[in-house]
């Protein structure tokens, strides 16, 4: 039955940046589909709550806090997943940061930090996980891109540059690994209800302008990414490679 291809019982996943927001929504979606999940955050707070929700779905949850801008931490997260769960079958590269400032005044330090976390860490984690997946004959990597993988944005030059590169990195890895059983795809969320967008939603003018541009006429929620990540992490997407799936309420279609 077709629904069986969306189930991932016994698969082992690492979801970076999953102690809250979009990452937590995706971690829970994977758990509900049957995967064991390493729940990760920069800090430890929030990991217990998400871990409890994952376990409530009847699967294992492993907490991990680490700074993915540290090369050693990226290697350690992959090895932790393999050691605690037995393998890494699914990697969701979600952890990220945003630094806002006009381009003419953008600090080099902010640029470097954003590129390190939003792009270089994505490559490091994918590379490490990919090695395991290639040896075991398959796996699923889901990178979190952005609507700014397609558009330039305002006041976020480093974030836009990184997310544009994440989309291209997704295609580059897919070209190398597709024939070897490893699927590499990406999700590009639109405007979502998270801590990062709280100020926008609180601004009556900006909130109205954004909603007028979204055909669905509402902000997305972390839960809206659950179906997309389960699809990309399951056998249902076995013939999908190098795709950037926009989950944006129709924003890019407008």
């Amino acid at each position: 039955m077709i629904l069986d291809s969306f189930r991932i019982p016994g698969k082992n996943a690492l979801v970076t940046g999953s102690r809250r927001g979009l990452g937590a929504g995706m971690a829970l979606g994977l758990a509900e589909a049957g995967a064991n999940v390493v729940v990760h955050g920069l800090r430890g707070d929030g990991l217990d709550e998400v871990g409890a929700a994952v376990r409530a779905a009847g699967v294992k949850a492993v907490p991990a806090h680490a700074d993915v801008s540290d090369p050693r931490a990226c290697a350690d997260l992959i090895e932790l997943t393999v050691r605690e769960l037995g393998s890494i079958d699914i990697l969701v590269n979600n952890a990220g940061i945003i630094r806002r400032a006009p381009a003419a005044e953008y600090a080099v330090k902010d640029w470097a930090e954003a590129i390190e976390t939003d792009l270089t860490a994505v490559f490091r984690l994918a590379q490490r996980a990919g090695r395991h997946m290639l040896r075991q004959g398959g796996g699923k990597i889901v990178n979190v891109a952005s609507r700014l993988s397609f558009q330039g944005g305002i006041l976020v030059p480093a974030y836009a540059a990184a997310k544009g590169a994440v989309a291209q990195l997704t295609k580059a890895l897919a070209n190398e690994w597709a024939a070897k059983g490893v699927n590499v795809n990406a999700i590009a969320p639109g405007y979502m209800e998270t801590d990062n967008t709280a100020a926008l939603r609180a601004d009556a003018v900006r909130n109205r302008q954004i909603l007028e541009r979204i055909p669905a006429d509402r902000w997305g929620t972390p839960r809206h990414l659950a179906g997309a990540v389960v699809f990309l992490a399951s056998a249902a997407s076995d013939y999908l490679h190098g795709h950037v799936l926009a989950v944006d309420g129709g924003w890019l279609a407008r």
Side-chain angles (χ1 to χ4, degrees):
M1 299 294 288
I2 186 60
L3 289 180
D4 290 336
S5 67
F6 289 87
R7 298 188 176 100
I8 47 177
K11 297 296 184 181
N12 299 315
L14 165 62
V15 183
T16 66
S18 52
R19 70 185 181 90
R20 62 182 183 180
L22 303 184
M26 290 187 285
L28 185 54
L30 293 172
E32 290 174 353
N36 303 306
V37 183
V38 173
V39 180
H40 161 265
L42 176 61
R43 299 180 298 277
D45 58 300
L47 295 180
D48 289 344
E49 291 84 349
V50 178
V54 166
R55 293 187 192 95
V59 298
K60 296 176 183 176
V62 177
H65 61 91
D67 182 354
V68 297
S69 69
D70 177 358
R72 184 67 251 172
C74 291
D76 289 346
L77 280 171
I78 300 301
E79 296 312 314
L80 170 73
T81 304
V82 174
R83 184 174 66 250
E84 294 294 324
L85 298 178
S87 65
I88 181 162
D89 307 299
I90 301 161
L91 167 66
V92 181
N93 263 318
N94 173 70
I97 62 173
I98 298 178
R99 297 285 184 265
R100 301 180 188 276
E105 303 163 14
Y106 209 84
V108 172
K109 179 177 180 291
D110 288 342
W111 173 274
E113 289 178 353
I115 294 297
E116 188 71 27
T117 299
D118 296 344
L119 176 58
T120 306
V122 171
F123 173 70
R124 288 194 183 112
L125 287 159
Q127 183 185 54
R128 291 277 183 170
R131 290 170 182 167
H132 284 275
M133 293 174 181
L134 291 168
R135 285 196 294 269
Q136 68 195 23
K140 304 279 186 170
I141 296 175
V142 182
N143 296 323
V144 176
S146 167
R147 63 184 180 80
L148 295 190
S149 298
F150 307 93
Q151 300 174 316
I154 300 172
L155 303 180
V156 287
Y159 183 81
K163 290 302 184 179
V166 165
Q168 293 304 102
L169 175 62
T170 297
K171 298 169 189 177
L173 296 178
N175 286 341
E176 291 194 37
W177 296 346
K180 300 175 182 178
V182 178
N183 296 73
V184 187
N185 292 290
I187 295 173
Y191 279 101
M192 296 283 167
E193 292 180 357
T194 67
D195 291 346
N196 281 338
T197 62
L200 285 176
R201 288 181 284 116
D203 184 323
V205 174
R206 287 292 290 127
N207 184 61
R208 176 181 54 77
Q209 291 171 337
I210 288 166
L211 288 175
E212 287 175 349
R213 176 69 165 72
I214 301 173
D217 195 32
R218 65 185 188 276
W219 288 72
T221 69
R223 189 66 180 168
H224 286 132
L225 297 189
V229 77
V230 168
F231 168 58
L232 293 177
S234 70
S237 63
D238 276 355
Y239 199 59
L240 194 68
H241 296 276
H243 183 68
V244 182
L245 176 62
V247 183
D248 63 354
W251 176 275
L252 290 174
R254 178 57 68 81

